[in-house]
């Protein structure tokens, strides 16, 4: 309810920064594949690791030991993503990299920490959509905008956004590999593949993301995300409450 101030209804959800959860993980791996001779079959360890007092866990509480990057991404494993983020010099490198992809809501001088790999740094929905365009299978990366052109009653052009393009920061070959992993349901758990399929778009690649909040001593989902795309379509979908409350009131 846009007019309900009790729930902060008057919020521009397109531009308001929110935590985006695991939707950030494909970018972690895309940068690594663009900098080093890694491939989607390169193995990474999914093991309990202590990063100077920070000991992250996976969503299911288990570890898969040694797995290919394609499985780590498709299964959305937390620990491998953090390990890759840490190995790539974490926020020192990634903040500048994210900004170059159009993530204008990030702060250059902030140290977001290792949990940034899990999408804890607030981003706007439009920023999230903008960087996913860098994974699209096209040579040029378009700039997302809401209004292309405005003309008056006499067809005088009042405003023209034009076809502004971002320079491609993710090599096209790397973008295609990440897109392939996000498209191929055989890399993901059986139940997961069906959840991210978009009806009528068999060519779409998708990534989900969630954020949690504590309620009654338990972790409860607060935000739900789905990004799905192909060279012609980009959809960024959010489910949640504008006042930051959890998704299930009876949890």
């Amino acid at each position: 309810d846009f007019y309900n101030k009790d729930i902060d209804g008057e919020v521009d959800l397109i531009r308001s920064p929110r935590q985006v959860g695991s939707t950030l993980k494909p970018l972690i791996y895309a940068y690594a594949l663009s900098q080093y001779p890694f491939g989607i079959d390169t193995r990474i360890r999914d093991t309990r690791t202590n990063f100077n007092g920070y000991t992250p866990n996976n969503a299911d509480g288990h570890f898969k030991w040694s797995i290919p990057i394609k499985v780590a991404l498709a299964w959305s494993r937390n620990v491998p993503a953090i390990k890759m983020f840490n190995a790539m010099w974490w926020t020192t490198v990634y903040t500048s990299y994210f900004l170059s992809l159009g993530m204008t809501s990030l702060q250059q001088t902030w140290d977001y920490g290792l949990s940034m790999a899990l999408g804890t740094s607030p981003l706007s929905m439009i920023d999230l959509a903008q960087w996913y365009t860098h994974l699209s299978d096209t040579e040029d990366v378009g700039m997302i905008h809401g209004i292309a052109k405005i003309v008056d009653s006499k067809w005088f052009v009042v405003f023209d956004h034009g076809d502004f393009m971002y320079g491609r920061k993710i090599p096209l070959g790397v973008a295609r590999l990440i897109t392939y992993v996000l498209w191929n349901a055989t890399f993901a758990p059986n139940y997961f593949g069906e959840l991210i399929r978009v009806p009528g778009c068999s060519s779409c690649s998708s990534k989900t993301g969630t954020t949690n909040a504590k309620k009654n001593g338990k972790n409860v989902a607060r935000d739900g995300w789905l990004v799905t795309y192909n060279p012609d379509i980009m959809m960024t979908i959010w489910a949640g409450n504008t006042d930051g409350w959890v998704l299930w009131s009876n949890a």
Side-chain angles (χ1 to χ4, degrees):
D1 183 354
F2 180 82
Y3 299 102
N4 187 344
K5 293 184 178 181
D6 291 336
I7 61 169
D8 294 334
E10 297 182 20
V11 174
D12 182 355
L13 292 169
I14 301 299
R15 292 177 174 82
S16 297
R18 303 184 73 89
Q19 292 182 339
V20 296
S22 294
T23 58
L24 207 62
K25 289 175 182 173
L27 187 54
I28 306 299
Y29 293 108
Y31 180 78
L33 265 62
S34 69
Q35 298 297 310
Y36 293 92
F38 298 153
I40 60 175
D41 288 309
T42 300
R43 303 189 78 82
I44 187 169
R45 288 192 174 185
D46 180 17
T47 55
R48 188 178 299 279
T49 306
N50 188 323
F51 299 93
N52 293 323
Y54 174 47
T55 309
N57 207 343
N58 293 306
D60 60 5
H62 301 292
F63 299 93
K64 299 178 71 66
W65 187 241
S66 176
I67 53 177
I69 285 176
K70 62 188 180 186
V71 172
L73 176 55
W75 282 67
S76 200
R77 308 300 287 176
N78 290 340
V79 175
I82 293 172
K83 285 187 174 182
M84 187 65 77
F85 186 80
N86 183 56
M88 299 293 111
W89 298 99
W90 50 320
T91 54
T92 304
V93 167
Y94 273 104
T95 301
S96 296
Y97 184 61
F98 292 158
L99 287 168
S100 74
L101 300 177
M103 294 185 180
T104 58
S105 50
L106 286 177
Q107 300 297 318
Q108 175 75 61
T109 58
W110 288 15
D111 185 352
Y112 291 100
L114 287 176
S115 63
M116 188 184 197
L118 306 183
T120 58
S121 51
L123 293 171
S124 68
M125 184 183 287
I126 197 168
D127 276 4
L128 185 64
Q130 182 63 69
W131 89 251
Y132 262 90
T133 64
H134 289 265
L135 292 180
S136 186
D137 190 6
T138 57
E139 290 291 343
D140 298 317
V141 178
M143 183 182 294
I144 291 177
H145 54 280
I147 299 173
K149 182 183 289 187
I150 300 173
V151 296
D152 63 15
S153 59
K154 297 181 180 180
W155 294 100
F156 178 79
V157 177
V158 178
F159 170 81
D160 189 348
H161 184 275
D163 291 328
F164 295 117
M165 298 290 179
Y166 276 101
R168 174 166 283 285
K169 303 297 182 181
I170 299 176
L172 190 55
V174 172
R176 287 172 175 169
L177 284 175
I178 298 296
T179 295
Y180 174 64
V181 172
L182 299 180
W183 169 82
N184 194 329
T186 63
F187 298 147
N190 293 334
Y191 71 89
F192 194 70
E194 294 301 319
L195 292 176
I196 63 175
R197 283 296 180 205
V198 178
C201 190
S202 60
S203 64
C204 282
S205 299
S206 302
K207 184 70 184 78
T208 60
T210 57
T211 68
N212 295 327
K214 286 286 187 181
K215 185 179 180 184
N216 299 328
K218 298 187 296 183
N219 283 324
V220 183
R222 183 181 61 193
D223 301 275
W225 292 92
L226 173 66
V227 181
T228 188
Y229 67 95
N230 65 17
D232 302 308
I233 297 170
M234 165 61 64
M235 289 189 292
T236 310
I237 302 165
W238 169 80
N241 296 295
T242 51
D243 62 357
W245 195 235
V246 297
L247 286 171
W248 294 282
S249 60
N250 63 344

